[in-house]
Amino acid sequence: MSACIFCRVVAGEIPGEVVLREPEVVAFLDVQPLADGHVLVVPRAHAAAVEELSPAQADALFRAVVRLAGPVRRALGAAGTTIGVNNGEATGQTIPHVHVHIVPRWEGDGAGSVHSIFPRTVEKKLPEVGAAIRSALGS
Ligand SMILES: [Zn+2]
């Protein structure tokens, strides 16, 4: 039996309010929702971080997000959804199994944009950062 709570939900060992089951992906309601309709989309195979996903797993994961975004919005009468991933413990990821949050949003709901979580601690010039990332990509 896995120690990972999301692996256990995927395996049906822990009950979850599942909204979508696909060969590579399962989606269920967050048990501590930020808003009604807060869905978590997870790969069936355990992966702690986004960069551990295979291309096929990544494709399946984001296809499921795309498939769910409209129905989640319509089901809750929401004006939009914020879709996000905390990737790594330092980002606030509390369950080390990749999960995409889909959180319904309404005008005036008091929540900010993704940009609002950052205090803008930028120190480097864009060309320097671009070169570093291109180098890390091996291109
Ligand atoms: Zn897991």
Side-chain angles (χ1 to χ4, degrees), residues 76-121:
L76 279 301
T81 52
T82 291
I83 296 171
V85 179
N86 295 315
N87 194 42
E89 189 175 358
T91 70
Q93 182 184 8
T94 55
I95 306 293
H97 182 134
V98 173
H99 50 288
V100 180
H101 295 264
I102 303 177
V103 186
R105 300 291 304 273
W106 294 267
E107 292 288 339
D109 64 11
S113 73
V114 170
H115 291 69
S116 69
I117 66 176
F118 293 92
R120 281 201 189 271
T121 53

Side-chain angles (χ1 to χ4, degrees), residues 2-8 43-47 95-98:
S2 173
C4 172
I5 192 166
F6 287 170
C7 281
R8 295 182 70 191
R44 283 184 183 269
H46 183 86
I95 306 293
H97 182 134
V98 173

Side-chain angles (χ1 to χ4, degrees), residues 13-139:
E13 296 168 1
I14 294 176
E17 190 60 41
V18 174
V19 295
L20 179 69
R21 287 185 196 278
E22 293 187 336
E24 300 289 331
V25 175
V26 174
F28 48 88
L29 297 183
D30 194 313
V31 295
Q32 295 181 302
L34 296 172
D36 288 332
H38 181 175
V39 170
L40 301 177
V41 189
V42 308
R44 283 184 183 269
H46 183 86
V50 165
E51 49 269 48
E52 295 175 14
L53 296 173
S54 70
Q57 289 172 322
D59 287 350
L61 185 61
F62 206 72
R63 284 176 187 274
V65 171
V66 171
R67 182 170 175 205
L68 282 158
V72 167
R73 186 196 295 224
R74 290 193 300 276
L76 279 301
T81 52
T82 291
I83 296 171
V85 179
N86 295 315
N87 194 42
E89 189 175 358
T91 70
Q93 182 184 8
T94 55
I95 306 293
H97 182 134
V98 173
H99 50 288
V100 180
H101 295 264
I102 303 177
V103 186
R105 300 291 304 273
W106 294 267
E107 292 288 339
D109 64 11
S113 73
V114 170
H115 291 69
S116 69
I117 66 176
F118 293 92
R120 281 201 189 271
T121 53
V122 175
E123 298 173 352
K124 298 180 179 179
K125 300 290 186 198
L126 297 187
E128 176 188 356
V129 175
I133 295 172
R134 285 188 295 274
S135 176
L137 278 167
S139 58

